[in-house]
Amino acid sequence: MVLERRLRLLLVSCAVAAAALALSACGSSSSNSSAAAAGSSSTASSSSTASSGGVSGKPIVVGMICSCTGPESSAVGNNIGVINAWADYVNHNGGINGYPVKVITMDDQQNAATTLQDAKTLVQQDHVVAIVGESSFVDASFAPYVASAGVPVIGGSNYEASFQSSPDFFPSGGQQISGLVGQFALAKQAAKKVLGTIYCAESPICAQLVPVANGVAPLYGLKSYTAKISATAPSYTAPCLAAKSAGVDAMFIADNSPIVLRFVAACAQQSYTPQQVSSTQTATSAWLSDSTLNGALLTALNANGYDTSTPAIATFQSALKQYAPSTINGSAFSGEEINPWSGGLLFQAAAKAAHLTPSSTAADVKKGLYALKNETLDGIAPPLNFTAGKPAFIPCWFAQQVKGGKFTSLNGNKPSCLTAAQGAALAKALHL
């Protein structure tokens, strides 16, 4: 499809930028959180593993890398707990093809050198057959290595550029580009004219939004406005007034939830309350008690993790309450937690398709992934399809609205996807 080619061109520049910026990412050089507290500079082999539960015997071993204690820890800090809860749930319910699954987790603290070493440890020392539920903000630094090793990265932070540019990364939901397309679609439906992307200064993933937003906006007849903000800024009055002066009537604040709350409050103090059109990656339960965010529209890469009317979401929440209650209790629970869980489900689906055993290889896992056709993970993901040697493109997103103190699913908690006709219309608008 012509649209797909256009979007891939936009993503190439994003991936290159992410790879360059990753080299200067901040953080400690230790992979283990306890070692970091002690000031160690060595890389630990693992920070946690899941129990084997009700199954026994040699396990199927997978790894997980997370920037759980880095600058963006408020976004993904729960994700190690989530992936371990997934493994515990699987193991207490028959395992994978009758075998237990073992997850070896790494916290790279958003340090590019550390995350590369973590990947090497998982592959060379722990012999994992896949990296599952990946939640690193500097994964561009280990992407070439896992590609050379033939180890697939399955689901997790699907908004990272590697999930859109590398054939060895397999998204378990929508991607950054589809989420942004969805945001412009929602802004258009709300009759807005200028969508402002206010992005974080601290993480490379935020800067990747700029060329994509600027490229997608004209396709929906909207204008794009972008501005960078720092989490340590003493005041957001100036950027709020700048956005207001630029005519921004819909706003995406691409930052952690606490910063979103501060920014929205600063704008409200200036009598400026544009329609919030955001992503669930920036939202937490704290949004529900903030009146300035009531009515906010959100896109999501996976189904609404709060909507238990979807049976697979009810299972997800039940498992977290049983095996990782700290991840679901309180205001820190967000739309992010469903992403590593969906990565685990995608690995399960591939394992079933490939009849994996503890002696299976990473190549076997890939065969299982390629065998999947329109896999939705029981409704948690949009239709997923993968082709050997080609980066995945998932042209779908889910949508929600903050309404009445709840994250209310739009479209029945079903994905919205670009059709071939929409793609042709967008290609015509681009004169391609």
Side-chain angles (χ1 to χ4, degrees), residues 107-130:
D107 178 5
D108 65 22
Q109 299 172 37
Q110 204 166 321
N111 182 286
T114 300
T115 204
L116 175 58
Q117 183 56 51
D118 287 346
K120 290 181 176 179
T121 298
L122 289 172
V123 172
Q124 298 173 12
Q125 175 179 303
D126 299 313
H127 306 294
V128 301
V129 293

mmCIF file with all atom_site columns, all heavy atoms in Angstrom, residues 107-130:
data_model
loop_
_atom_site.group_PDB
_atom_site.id
_atom_site.type_symbol
_atom_site.label_atom_id
_atom_site.label_alt_id
_atom_site.label_comp_id
_atom_site.label_asym_id
_atom_site.label_entity_id
_atom_site.label_seq_id
_atom_site.pdbx_PDB_ins_code
_atom_site.Cartn_x
_atom_site.Cartn_y
_atom_site.Cartn_z
_atom_site.occupancy
_atom_site.B_iso_or_equiv
_atom_site.pdbx_formal_charge
_atom_site.auth_seq_id
_atom_site.auth_comp_id
_atom_site.auth_asym_id
_atom_site.auth_atom_id
_atom_site.pdbx_PDB_model_num
ATOM 1   N N   . ASP A 1 107 ? 17.063 -4.561  34.336 1.00 0.00 ? 107 ASP A N   1
ATOM 2   C CA  . ASP A 1 107 ? 16.729 -3.142  34.418 1.00 0.00 ? 107 ASP A CA  1
ATOM 3   C C   . ASP A 1 107 ? 17.937 -2.358  33.917 1.00 0.00 ? 107 ASP A C   1
ATOM 4   O O   . ASP A 1 107 ? 18.960 -2.285  34.594 1.00 0.00 ? 107 ASP A O   1
ATOM 5   C CB  . ASP A 1 107 ? 16.395 -2.771  35.865 1.00 0.00 ? 107 ASP A CB  1
ATOM 6   C CG  . ASP A 1 107 ? 16.076 -1.301  36.037 1.00 0.00 ? 107 ASP A CG  1
ATOM 7   O OD1 . ASP A 1 107 ? 16.020 -0.555  35.040 1.00 0.00 ? 107 ASP A OD1 1
ATOM 8   O OD2 . ASP A 1 107 ? 15.897 -0.885  37.190 1.00 0.00 ? 107 ASP A OD2 1
ATOM 9   N N   . ASP A 1 108 ? 17.814 -1.763  32.734 1.00 0.00 ? 108 ASP A N   1
ATOM 10  C CA  . ASP A 1 108 ? 18.964 -1.045  32.160 1.00 0.00 ? 108 ASP A CA  1
ATOM 11  C C   . ASP A 1 108 ? 19.071 0.407   32.613 1.00 0.00 ? 108 ASP A C   1
ATOM 12  O O   . ASP A 1 108 ? 19.995 1.123   32.253 1.00 0.00 ? 108 ASP A O   1
ATOM 13  C CB  . ASP A 1 108 ? 18.945 -1.121  30.628 1.00 0.00 ? 108 ASP A CB  1
ATOM 14  C CG  . ASP A 1 108 ? 17.757 -0.404  29.993 1.00 0.00 ? 108 ASP A CG  1
ATOM 15  O OD1 . ASP A 1 108 ? 17.171 0.490   30.633 1.00 0.00 ? 108 ASP A OD1 1
ATOM 16  O OD2 . ASP A 1 108 ? 17.418 -0.726  28.845 1.00 0.00 ? 108 ASP A OD2 1
ATOM 17  N N   . GLN A 1 109 ? 18.090 0.874   33.407 1.00 0.00 ? 109 GLN A N   1
ATOM 18  C CA  . GLN A 1 109 ? 18.081 2.231   33.944 1.00 0.00 ? 109 GLN A CA  1
ATOM 19  C C   . GLN A 1 109 ? 18.208 3.293   32.839 1.00 0.00 ? 109 GLN A C   1
ATOM 20  O O   . GLN A 1 109 ? 18.715 4.382   33.051 1.00 0.00 ? 109 GLN A O   1
ATOM 21  C CB  . GLN A 1 109 ? 19.177 2.397   34.995 1.00 0.00 ? 109 GLN A CB  1
ATOM 22  C CG  . GLN A 1 109 ? 18.995 1.445   36.177 1.00 0.00 ? 109 GLN A CG  1
ATOM 23  C CD  . GLN A 1 109 ? 20.154 1.464   37.132 1.00 0.00 ? 109 GLN A CD  1
ATOM 24  O OE1 . GLN A 1 109 ? 20.746 2.498   37.377 1.00 0.00 ? 109 GLN A OE1 1
ATOM 25  N NE2 . GLN A 1 109 ? 20.476 0.313   37.701 1.00 0.00 ? 109 GLN A NE2 1
ATOM 26  N N   . GLN A 1 110 ? 17.752 2.937   31.656 1.00 0.00 ? 110 GLN A N   1
ATOM 27  C CA  . GLN A 1 110 ? 17.777 3.808   30.479 1.00 0.00 ? 110 GLN A CA  1
ATOM 28  C C   . GLN A 1 110 ? 19.205 4.211   30.107 1.00 0.00 ? 110 GLN A C   1
ATOM 29  O O   . GLN A 1 110 ? 19.465 5.330   29.679 1.00 0.00 ? 110 GLN A O   1
ATOM 30  C CB  . GLN A 1 110 ? 16.896 5.043   30.691 1.00 0.00 ? 110 GLN A CB  1
ATOM 31  C CG  . GLN A 1 110 ? 16.421 5.654   29.376 1.00 0.00 ? 110 GLN A CG  1
ATOM 32  C CD  . GLN A 1 110 ? 15.304 6.652   29.566 1.00 0.00 ? 110 GLN A CD  1
ATOM 33  O OE1 . GLN A 1 110 ? 14.421 6.464   30.390 1.00 0.00 ? 110 GLN A OE1 1
ATOM 34  N NE2 . GLN A 1 110 ? 15.333 7.732   28.801 1.00 0.00 ? 110 GLN A NE2 1
ATOM 35  N N   . ASN A 1 111 ? 20.124 3.280   30.233 1.00 0.00 ? 111 ASN A N   1
ATOM 36  C CA  . ASN A 1 111 ? 21.521 3.507   29.876 1.00 0.00 ? 111 ASN A CA  1
ATOM 37  C C   . ASN A 1 111 ? 21.842 2.660   28.651 1.00 0.00 ? 111 ASN A C   1
ATOM 38  O O   . ASN A 1 111 ? 21.692 1.434   28.666 1.00 0.00 ? 111 ASN A O   1
ATOM 39  C CB  . ASN A 1 111 ? 22.428 3.120   31.050 1.00 0.00 ? 111 ASN A CB  1
ATOM 40  C CG  . ASN A 1 111 ? 23.893 3.377   30.757 1.00 0.00 ? 111 ASN A CG  1
ATOM 41  O OD1 . ASN A 1 111 ? 24.509 2.647   29.993 1.00 0.00 ? 111 ASN A OD1 1
ATOM 42  N ND2 . ASN A 1 111 ? 24.442 4.410   31.366 1.00 0.00 ? 111 ASN A ND2 1
ATOM 43  N N   . ALA A 1 112 ? 22.285 3.301   27.575 1.00 0.00 ? 112 ALA A N   1
ATOM 44  C CA  . ALA A 1 112 ? 22.483 2.616   26.299 1.00 0.00 ? 112 ALA A CA  1
ATOM 45  C C   . ALA A 1 112 ? 23.539 1.520   26.383 1.00 0.00 ? 112 ALA A C   1
ATOM 46  O O   . ALA A 1 112 ? 23.374 0.437   25.819 1.00 0.00 ? 112 ALA A O   1
ATOM 47  C CB  . ALA A 1 112 ? 22.854 3.626   25.220 1.00 0.00 ? 112 ALA A CB  1
ATOM 48  N N   . ALA A 1 113 ? 24.657 1.787   27.071 1.00 0.00 ? 113 ALA A N   1
ATOM 49  C CA  . ALA A 1 113 ? 25.715 0.785   27.178 1.00 0.00 ? 113 ALA A CA  1
ATOM 50  C C   . ALA A 1 113 ? 25.241 -0.401  28.004 1.00 0.00 ? 113 ALA A C   1
ATOM 51  O O   . ALA A 1 113 ? 25.530 -1.564  27.686 1.00 0.00 ? 113 ALA A O   1
ATOM 52  C CB  . ALA A 1 113 ? 26.963 1.405   27.798 1.00 0.00 ? 113 ALA A CB  1
ATOM 53  N N   . THR A 1 114 ? 24.490 -0.119  29.063 1.00 0.00 ? 114 THR A N   1
ATOM 54  C CA  . THR A 1 114 ? 23.998 -1.185  29.934 1.00 0.00 ? 114 THR A CA  1
ATOM 55  C C   . THR A 1 114 ? 23.002 -2.076  29.211 1.00 0.00 ? 114 THR A C   1
ATOM 56  O O   . THR A 1 114 ? 23.032 -3.304  29.344 1.00 0.00 ? 114 THR A O   1
ATOM 57  C CB  . THR A 1 114 ? 23.343 -0.588  31.188 1.00 0.00 ? 114 THR A CB  1
ATOM 58  O OG1 . THR A 1 114 ? 24.300 0.193   31.890 1.00 0.00 ? 114 THR A OG1 1
ATOM 59  C CG2 . THR A 1 114 ? 22.833 -1.685  32.113 1.00 0.00 ? 114 THR A CG2 1
ATOM 60  N N   . THR A 1 115 ? 22.110 -1.470  28.434 1.00 0.00 ? 115 THR A N   1
ATOM 61  C CA  . THR A 1 115 ? 21.092 -2.279  27.773 1.00 0.00 ? 115 THR A CA  1
ATOM 62  C C   . THR A 1 115 ? 21.714 -3.214  26.741 1.00 0.00 ? 115 THR A C   1
ATOM 63  O O   . THR A 1 115 ? 21.250 -4.348  26.565 1.00 0.00 ? 115 THR A O   1
ATOM 64  C CB  . THR A 1 115 ? 20.010 -1.378  27.139 1.00 0.00 ? 115 THR A CB  1
ATOM 65  O OG1 . THR A 1 115 ? 18.803 -2.120  26.996 1.00 0.00 ? 115 THR A OG1 1
ATOM 66  C CG2 . THR A 1 115 ? 20.425 -0.818  25.792 1.00 0.00 ? 115 THR A CG2 1
ATOM 67  N N   . LEU A 1 116 ? 22.774 -2.796  26.077 1.00 0.00 ? 116 LEU A N   1
ATOM 68  C CA  . LEU A 1 116 ? 23.465 -3.671  25.132 1.00 0.00 ? 116 LEU A CA  1
ATOM 69  C C   . LEU A 1 116 ? 24.103 -4.840  25.867 1.00 0.00 ? 116 LEU A C   1
ATOM 70  O O   . LEU A 1 116 ? 24.005 -5.995  25.430 1.00 0.00 ? 116 LEU A O   1
ATOM 71  C CB  . LEU A 1 116 ? 24.521 -2.896  24.352 1.00 0.00 ? 116 LEU A CB  1
ATOM 72  C CG  . LEU A 1 116 ? 25.399 -3.713  23.402 1.00 0.00 ? 116 LEU A CG  1
ATOM 73  C CD1 . LEU A 1 116 ? 24.555 -4.444  22.369 1.00 0.00 ? 116 LEU A CD1 1
ATOM 74  C CD2 . LEU A 1 116 ? 26.426 -2.816  22.712 1.00 0.00 ? 116 LEU A CD2 1
ATOM 75  N N   . GLN A 1 117 ? 24.737 -4.549  26.992 1.00 0.00 ? 117 GLN A N   1
ATOM 76  C CA  . GLN A 1 117 ? 25.345 -5.622  27.778 1.00 0.00 ? 117 GLN A CA  1
ATOM 77  C C   . GLN A 1 117 ? 24.280 -6.575  28.312 1.00 0.00 ? 117 GLN A C   1
ATOM 78  O O   . GLN A 1 117 ? 24.476 -7.788  28.348 1.00 0.00 ? 117 GLN A O   1
ATOM 79  C CB  . GLN A 1 117 ? 26.155 -5.043  28.940 1.00 0.00 ? 117 GLN A CB  1
ATOM 80  C CG  . GLN A 1 117 ? 26.893 -6.098  29.768 1.00 0.00 ? 117 GLN A CG  1
ATOM 81  C CD  . GLN A 1 117 ? 27.811 -6.963  28.920 1.00 0.00 ? 117 GLN A CD  1
ATOM 82  O OE1 . GLN A 1 117 ? 28.624 -6.427  28.150 1.00 0.00 ? 117 GLN A OE1 1
ATOM 83  N NE2 . GLN A 1 117 ? 27.702 -8.273  29.030 1.00 0.00 ? 117 GLN A NE2 1
ATOM 84  N N   . ASP A 1 118 ? 23.135 -6.031  28.717 1.00 0.00 ? 118 ASP A N   1
ATOM 85  C CA  . ASP A 1 118 ? 22.037 -6.873  29.189 1.00 0.00 ? 118 ASP A CA  1
ATOM 86  C C   . ASP A 1 118 ? 21.580 -7.836  28.098 1.00 0.00 ? 118 ASP A C   1
ATOM 87  O O   . ASP A 1 118 ? 21.347 -9.023  28.356 1.00 0.00 ? 118 ASP A O   1
ATOM 88  C CB  . ASP A 1 118 ? 20.866 -5.998  29.632 1.00 0.00 ? 118 ASP A CB  1
ATOM 89  C CG  . ASP A 1 118 ? 21.117 -5.275  30.948 1.00 0.00 ? 118 ASP A CG  1
ATOM 90  O OD1 . ASP A 1 118 ? 22.070 -5.647  31.656 1.00 0.00 ? 118 ASP A OD1 1
ATOM 91  O OD2 . ASP A 1 118 ? 20.356 -4.340  31.250 1.00 0.00 ? 118 ASP A OD2 1
ATOM 92  N N   . ALA A 1 119 ? 21.438 -7.319  26.889 1.00 0.00 ? 119 ALA A N   1
ATOM 93  C CA  . ALA A 1 119 ? 21.012 -8.176  25.784 1.00 0.00 ? 119 ALA A CA  1
ATOM 94  C C   . ALA A 1 119 ? 22.025 -9.283  25.520 1.00 0.00 ? 119 ALA A C   1
ATOM 95  O O   . ALA A 1 119 ? 21.657 -10.444 25.291 1.00 0.00 ? 119 ALA A O   1
ATOM 96  C CB  . ALA A 1 119 ? 20.804 -7.331  24.526 1.00 0.00 ? 119 ALA A CB  1
ATOM 97  N N   . LYS A 1 120 ? 23.302 -8.937  25.572 1.00 0.00 ? 120 LYS A N   1
ATOM 98  C CA  . LYS A 1 120 ? 24.346 -9.945  25.356 1.00 0.00 ? 120 LYS A CA  1
ATOM 99  C C   . LYS A 1 120 ? 24.322 -11.002 26.449 1.00 0.00 ? 120 LYS A C   1
ATOM 100 O O   . LYS A 1 120 ? 24.501 -12.199 26.184 1.00 0.00 ? 120 LYS A O   1
ATOM 101 C CB  . LYS A 1 120 ? 25.714 -9.269  25.295 1.00 0.00 ? 120 LYS A CB  1
ATOM 102 C CG  . LYS A 1 120 ? 25.932 -8.436  24.040 1.00 0.00 ? 120 LYS A CG  1
ATOM 103 C CD  . LYS A 1 120 ? 27.320 -7.804  24.009 1.00 0.00 ? 120 LYS A CD  1
ATOM 104 C CE  . LYS A 1 120 ? 27.556 -7.053  22.713 1.00 0.00 ? 120 LYS A CE  1
ATOM 105 N NZ  . LYS A 1 120 ? 28.900 -6.411  22.655 1.00 0.00 ? 120 LYS A NZ  1
ATOM 106 N N   . THR A 1 121 ? 24.093 -10.570 27.687 1.00 0.00 ? 121 THR A N   1
ATOM 107 C CA  . THR A 1 121 ? 24.020 -11.522 28.797 1.00 0.00 ? 121 THR A CA  1
ATOM 108 C C   . THR A 1 121 ? 22.847 -12.475 28.608 1.00 0.00 ? 121 THR A C   1
ATOM 109 O O   . THR A 1 121 ? 22.973 -13.696 28.796 1.00 0.00 ? 121 THR A O   1
ATOM 110 C CB  . THR A 1 121 ? 23.885 -10.778 30.132 1.00 0.00 ? 121 THR A CB  1
ATOM 111 O OG1 . THR A 1 121 ? 25.049 -9.972  30.343 1.00 0.00 ? 121 THR A OG1 1
ATOM 112 C CG2 . THR A 1 121 ? 23.735 -11.756 31.293 1.00 0.00 ? 121 THR A CG2 1
ATOM 113 N N   . LEU A 1 122 ? 21.703 -11.931 28.250 1.00 0.00 ? 122 LEU A N   1
ATOM 114 C CA  . LEU A 1 122 ? 20.519 -12.770 28.061 1.00 0.00 ? 122 LEU A CA  1
ATOM 115 C C   . LEU A 1 122 ? 20.728 -13.800 26.957 1.00 0.00 ? 122 LEU A C   1
ATOM 116 O O   . LEU A 1 122 ? 20.326 -14.960 27.084 1.00 0.00 ? 122 LEU A O   1
ATOM 117 C CB  . LEU A 1 122 ? 19.308 -11.899 27.728 1.00 0.00 ? 122 LEU A CB  1
ATOM 118 C CG  . LEU A 1 122 ? 18.746 -11.043 28.867 1.00 0.00 ? 122 LEU A CG  1
ATOM 119 C CD1 . LEU A 1 122 ? 17.676 -10.089 28.345 1.00 0.00 ? 122 LEU A CD1 1
ATOM 120 C CD2 . LEU A 1 122 ? 18.177 -11.924 29.982 1.00 0.00 ? 122 LEU A CD2 1
ATOM 121 N N   . VAL A 1 123 ? 21.371 -13.390 25.873 1.00 0.00 ? 123 VAL A N   1
ATOM 122 C CA  . VAL A 1 123 ? 21.552 -14.278 24.725 1.00 0.00 ? 123 VAL A CA  1
ATOM 123 C C   . VAL A 1 123 ? 22.702 -15.253 24.946 1.00 0.00 ? 123 VAL A C   1
ATOM 124 O O   . VAL A 1 123 ? 22.550 -16.466 24.741 1.00 0.00 ? 123 VAL A O   1
ATOM 125 C CB  . VAL A 1 123 ? 21.783 -13.459 23.442 1.00 0.00 ? 123 VAL A CB  1
ATOM 126 C CG1 . VAL A 1 123 ? 22.160 -14.370 22.275 1.00 0.00 ? 123 VAL A CG1 1
ATOM 127 C CG2 . VAL A 1 123 ? 20.543 -12.638 23.098 1.00 0.00 ? 123 VAL A CG2 1
ATOM 128 N N   . GLN A 1 124 ? 23.850 -14.744 25.377 1.00 0.00 ? 124 GLN A N   1
ATOM 129 C CA  . GLN A 1 124 ? 25.059 -15.581 25.452 1.00 0.00 ? 124 GLN A CA  1
ATOM 130 C C   . GLN A 1 124 ? 25.144 -16.396 26.733 1.00 0.00 ? 124 GLN A C   1
ATOM 131 O O   . GLN A 1 124 ? 25.628 -17.537 26.717 1.00 0.00 ? 124 GLN A O   1
ATOM 132 C CB  . GLN A 1 124 ? 26.294 -14.690 25.334 1.00 0.00 ? 124 GLN A CB  1
ATOM 133 C CG  . GLN A 1 124 ? 26.393 -13.944 24.007 1.00 0.00 ? 124 GLN A CG  1
ATOM 134 C CD  . GLN A 1 124 ? 27.536 -12.951 23.975 1.00 0.00 ? 124 GLN A CD  1
ATOM 135 O OE1 . GLN A 1 124 ? 28.410 -12.945 24.840 1.00 0.00 ? 124 GLN A OE1 1
ATOM 136 N NE2 . GLN A 1 124 ? 27.549 -12.091 22.964 1.00 0.00 ? 124 GLN A NE2 1
ATOM 137 N N   . GLN A 1 125 ? 24.710 -15.832 27.844 1.00 0.00 ? 125 GLN A N   1
ATOM 138 C CA  . GLN A 1 125 ? 24.834 -16.526 29.132 1.00 0.00 ? 125 GLN A CA  1
ATOM 139 C C   . GLN A 1 125 ? 23.559 -17.278 29.506 1.00 0.00 ? 125 GLN A C   1
ATOM 140 O O   . GLN A 1 125 ? 23.610 -18.434 29.946 1.00 0.00 ? 125 GLN A O   1
ATOM 141 C CB  . GLN A 1 125 ? 25.163 -15.509 30.222 1.00 0.00 ? 125 GLN A CB  1
ATOM 142 C CG  . GLN A 1 125 ? 25.208 -16.091 31.638 1.00 0.00 ? 125 GLN A CG  1
ATOM 143 C CD  . GLN A 1 125 ? 25.572 -15.026 32.662 1.00 0.00 ? 125 GLN A CD  1
ATOM 144 O OE1 . GLN A 1 125 ? 26.616 -14.375 32.568 1.00 0.00 ? 125 GLN A OE1 1
ATOM 145 N NE2 . GLN A 1 125 ? 24.711 -14.830 33.655 1.00 0.00 ? 125 GLN A NE2 1
ATOM 146 N N   . ASP A 1 126 ? 22.406 -16.617 29.312 1.00 0.00 ? 126 ASP A N   1
ATOM 147 C CA  . ASP A 1 126 ? 21.146 -17.222 29.742 1.00 0.00 ? 126 ASP A CA  1
ATOM 148 C C   . ASP A 1 126 ? 20.446 -17.995 28.632 1.00 0.00 ? 126 ASP A C   1
ATOM 149 O O   . ASP A 1 126 ? 19.487 -18.710 28.889 1.00 0.00 ? 126 ASP A O   1
ATOM 150 C CB  . ASP A 1 126 ? 20.212 -16.131 30.283 1.00 0.00 ? 126 ASP A CB  1
ATOM 151 C CG  . ASP A 1 126 ? 20.810 -15.410 31.481 1.00 0.00 ? 126 ASP A CG  1
ATOM 152 O OD1 . ASP A 1 126 ? 21.313 -16.097 32.386 1.00 0.00 ? 126 ASP A OD1 1
ATOM 153 O OD2 . ASP A 1 126 ? 20.796 -14.162 31.504 1.00 0.00 ? 126 ASP A OD2 1
ATOM 154 N N   . HIS A 1 127 ? 20.910 -17.835 27.400 1.00 0.00 ? 127 HIS A N   1
ATOM 155 C CA  . HIS A 1 127 ? 20.402 -18.587 26.250 1.00 0.00 ? 127 HIS A CA  1
ATOM 156 C C   . HIS A 1 127 ? 18.890 -18.446 26.080 1.00 0.00 ? 127 HIS A C   1
ATOM 157 O O   . HIS A 1 127 ? 18.183 -19.437 25.856 1.00 0.00 ? 127 HIS A O   1
ATOM 158 C CB  . HIS A 1 127 ? 20.795 -20.062 26.386 1.00 0.00 ? 127 HIS A CB  1
ATOM 159 C CG  . HIS A 1 127 ? 22.264 -20.278 26.593 1.00 0.00 ? 127 HIS A CG  1
ATOM 160 N ND1 . HIS A 1 127 ? 23.219 -19.980 25.638 1.00 0.00 ? 127 HIS A ND1 1
ATOM 161 C CD2 . HIS A 1 127 ? 22.957 -20.726 27.680 1.00 0.00 ? 127 HIS A CD2 1
ATOM 162 C CE1 . HIS A 1 127 ? 24.431 -20.256 26.105 1.00 0.00 ? 127 HIS A CE1 1
ATOM 163 N NE2 . HIS A 1 127 ? 24.311 -20.696 27.343 1.00 0.00 ? 127 HIS A NE2 1
ATOM 164 N N   . VAL A 1 128 ? 18.399 -17.243 26.178 1.00 0.00 ? 128 VAL A N   1
ATOM 165 C CA  . VAL A 1 128 ? 16.968 -17.021 25.992 1.00 0.00 ? 128 VAL A CA  1
ATOM 166 C C   . VAL A 1 128 ? 16.595 -17.236 24.529 1.00 0.00 ? 128 VAL A C   1
ATOM 167 O O   . VAL A 1 128 ? 17.403 -17.009 23.626 1.00 0.00 ? 128 VAL A O   1
ATOM 168 C CB  . VAL A 1 128 ? 16.566 -15.593 26.430 1.00 0.00 ? 128 VAL A CB  1
ATOM 169 C CG1 . VAL A 1 128 ? 16.916 -15.364 27.898 1.00 0.00 ? 128 VAL A CG1 1
ATOM 170 C CG2 . VAL A 1 128 ? 17.214 -14.526 25.552 1.00 0.00 ? 128 VAL A CG2 1
ATOM 171 N N   . VAL A 1 129 ? 15.363 -17.675 24.308 1.00 0.00 ? 129 VAL A N   1
ATOM 172 C CA  . VAL A 1 129 ? 14.892 -17.874 22.931 1.00 0.00 ? 129 VAL A CA  1
ATOM 173 C C   . VAL A 1 129 ? 14.164 -16.641 22.415 1.00 0.00 ? 129 VAL A C   1
ATOM 174 O O   . VAL A 1 129 ? 13.850 -16.553 21.222 1.00 0.00 ? 129 VAL A O   1
ATOM 175 C CB  . VAL A 1 129 ? 13.979 -19.106 22.825 1.00 0.00 ? 129 VAL A CB  1
ATOM 176 C CG1 . VAL A 1 129 ? 14.770 -20.384 23.093 1.00 0.00 ? 129 VAL A CG1 1
ATOM 177 C CG2 . VAL A 1 129 ? 12.771 -18.990 23.749 1.00 0.00 ? 129 VAL A CG2 1
ATOM 178 N N   . ALA A 1 130 ? 13.906 -15.683 23.303 1.00 0.00 ? 130 ALA A N   1
ATOM 179 C CA  . ALA A 1 130 ? 13.249 -14.443 22.897 1.00 0.00 ? 130 ALA A CA  1
ATOM 180 C C   . ALA A 1 130 ? 13.363 -13.435 24.029 1.00 0.00 ? 130 ALA A C   1
ATOM 181 O O   . ALA A 1 130 ? 13.559 -13.806 25.194 1.00 0.00 ? 130 ALA A O   1
ATOM 182 C CB  . ALA A 1 130 ? 11.774 -14.684 22.570 1.00 0.00 ? 130 ALA A CB  1
#
